Every structure is written in structure tokens, then in C-alpha cells.
């Protein structure tokens, strides 16, 4: 019933920036928790960032804190991930995800709590 489509990935040099977008269709997710996860080559999927339905609460993995910013525009049914100061270690397929919430003790970091996932967008950071 819900489709999530990521966009904005690409190839960027270390130190550069990218902004990922995730557009939802089918049903509104204005009051849903949204998250970003990533999976690097040969690695398991890991949490990146999450945002509450209102946008008032956010949570980041330590590896991206201070460099990445998650935001949402409920009027556009879109969530964003602004990625600055990119490092080669950030290279991965990035996935957005949606869950019913509400914002709980995991603060959106548990992948098992999410109901819908996008197809992913590749981010490659060269050194």
C-alpha cells in the first residue's frame, strides 16, 4: 500500500555532499516515523538516521552524527538525508523506511520496526 522511492545517490569525492530524497506514494506518512539505513559491500544493513512524525525528534548513528541531517516535508510526503563531509566509509546503498511509530525507546534505530522499505540508492564516495 505504501511505496518508497529513493533518489539523489551518485558518485562524489571525499569531503563532498549529497542530498538523498525519499518520496512516498500510496498512503500518507505524515505522522509516521521515517528512517535511513545503509548497506556497504560485504556488510550488513546498518542504521543511519531517523526522524519522528513531527520532525521535532531526530536520532543519528555515531558514525554520521554532525555530518548528516535528516529532515522531512510532510506536505510533500518526502524525507531527506543531507550528507556533508562524506567519507569513503559512507559508500553504501542507502534505503529509506517507514514505520507506524510512535517514537519509542529505539528512536527509530531498529530495522525490524519498519513496515516499508525503498529500493535503495547507491552512494559512492571516492578518496
Amino acid at each position: 500500500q505504501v511505496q518508497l522511492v529513493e533518489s539523489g545517490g551518485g558518485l562524489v569525492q571525499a569531503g563532498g555532499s549529497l542530498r538523498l530524497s525519499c518520496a512516498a506514494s500510496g498512503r500518507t506518512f505524515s505522522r509516521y516515523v521515517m528512517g535511513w539505513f545503509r548497506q556497504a559491500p560485504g556488510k550488513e544493513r546498518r542504521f543511519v538516521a531517523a526522524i519522528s512524525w513531527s520532525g521535532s525528534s531526530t536520532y543519528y548513528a555515531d558514525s554520521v552524527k554532525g555530518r548528516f541531517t535528516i529532515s522531512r516535508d510532510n506536505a510533500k510526503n518526502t524525507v531527506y538525508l543531507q550528507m556533508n563531509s562524506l567519507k569513503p566509509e559512507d559508500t553504501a546503498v542507502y534505503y529509506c523506511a517507514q514505520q507506524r511509530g510512535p517514537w519509542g525507546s529505539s528512536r527509530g534505530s531498529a530495522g525490524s520496526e519498519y513496515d516499508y522499505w525503498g529500493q535503495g540508492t547507491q552512494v559512492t564516495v571516492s578518496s
Side-chain angles (χ1 to χ4, degrees):
Q1 292 182 311
V2 175
Q3 294 81 45
L4 305 176
V5 180
E6 303 95 335
S7 62
L11 175 64
V12 64
Q13 293 185 359
S17 298
L18 285 173
R19 188 181 73 161
L20 305 183
S21 298
C22 175
S25 63
R27 298 175 68 182
T28 182
F29 69 106
S30 61
R31 302 183 72 86
Y32 282 57
V33 173
M34 298 293 297
W36 286 96
F37 293 76
R38 67 187 183 185
Q39 186 168 17
K43 303 294 184 179
E44 62 184 358
R45 173 178 49 77
R46 305 302 293 268
F47 167 75
V48 176
I51 187 167
S52 63
W53 69 266
S54 68
S56 62
S57 298
T58 59
Y59 181 54
Y60 299 91
D62 288 341
S63 59
V64 306
K65 189 174 298 182
R67 300 188 297 120
F68 290 12
T69 302
I70 187 171
S71 62
R72 65 192 298 167
D73 186 337
N74 289 340
K76 297 181 179 179
N77 289 337
T78 302
V79 64
Y80 305 95
L81 185 68
Q82 178 66 47
M83 305 185 295
N84 298 327
S85 302
L86 283 162
K87 305 174 181 179
E89 306 91 89
D90 297 317
T91 295
V93 176
Y94 283 70
Y95 300 90
C96 70
Q98 179 190 92
Q99 62 164 291
R100 293 182 293 273
W103 192 257
S105 60
S106 72
R107 294 184 286 177
S109 66
S112 61
E113 296 178 348
Y114 287 83
D115 304 299
Y116 301 100
W117 295 81
Q119 85 289 349
T121 185
Q122 177 71 49
V123 172
T124 303
V125 184
S126 64
S127 59

